[in-house]
Amino acid sequence: LVTTVMSNMGLEVAMQKMGGRMVRTAVGDRHVVECMRKQGYSFGGEQSGHLIYVDHITTGDGTLAALQLLSVMNKKQQPLSELATIMESFPQVLKNVRTETKIDINTLPGFQETIKKLEKKLGKTGRILVRPSGTEPVIRVMVEGRDESQINEIADELCGLI
């Protein structure tokens, strides 16, 4: 499965449990498609809902995705509510910090060290992603983990530093 860095860790855990593998790309369906073509994968998508089946079409198509989902439900003879239980979504918080000008987060004093410290706090069941928006003067802070209050505290701390 090819997906972006924004996809939930619960998806990766579910893929591992089923013996599959998940490859992450930069945000944007064009990055997903590019990776799929280069590495020969047939299915990918974004958390936003773009699902791509390159054997059929090279862009996200809602009708095709719905038909593929119905096909799986039919083959498995299970309702979507049962099929969805294979994945447990980790709590995830996304906060935007609007900036006056473009900021390189790597140049913020102590920022990378703080991220490393906070990632240690999260352990293997959490992650932090800080990236500039590609479309607006915003820094996006995404924190994911098992403890919702902890990830909110971490996101607030990072936003305050920015």
Side-chain angles (χ1 to χ4, degrees), residues 134-150:
T135 58
E136 55 187 327
V138 163
I139 303 292
R140 301 197 193 286
V141 176
M142 192 273 292
V143 184
E144 184 173 39
R146 295 246 182 227
D147 182 336
E148 199 160 353
S149 65
Q150 180 187 41

Side-chain angles (χ1 to χ4, degrees), residues 27-39:
V27 174
D29 57 351
R30 70 184 176 95
H31 296 291
V32 172
V33 171
E34 182 181 311
C35 178
M36 291 169 70
R37 283 184 172 154
K38 281 184 181 172
Q39 297 185 29

Side-chain angles (χ1 to χ4, degrees), residues 143-161:
V143 184
E144 184 173 39
R146 295 246 182 227
D147 182 336
E148 199 160 353
S149 65
Q150 180 187 41
I151 65 172
N152 275 298
E153 285 173 22
I154 289 171
D156 288 341
E157 181 175 343
L158 292 172
C159 289
L161 286 173

Side-chain angles (χ1 to χ4, degrees), residues 70-87:
L70 289 169
S71 175
V72 170
M73 291 168 63
N74 186 44
K75 283 179 190 164
K76 298 279 187 179
Q77 289 296 296
Q78 291 180 320
L80 183 55
S81 57
E82 277 182 46
L83 293 172
T85 63
I86 65 167
M87 181 187 143

Side-chain angles (χ1 to χ4, degrees), residues 6 11 19 21 25 28 38 61 70 76 94 105 117 155-156:
M6 297 300 289
L11 180 58
R21 191 172 79 118
T25 70
K38 281 184 181 172
D61 181 89
L70 289 169
K76 298 279 187 179
L94 177 63
I105 56 171
K117 177 187 79 171
D156 288 341

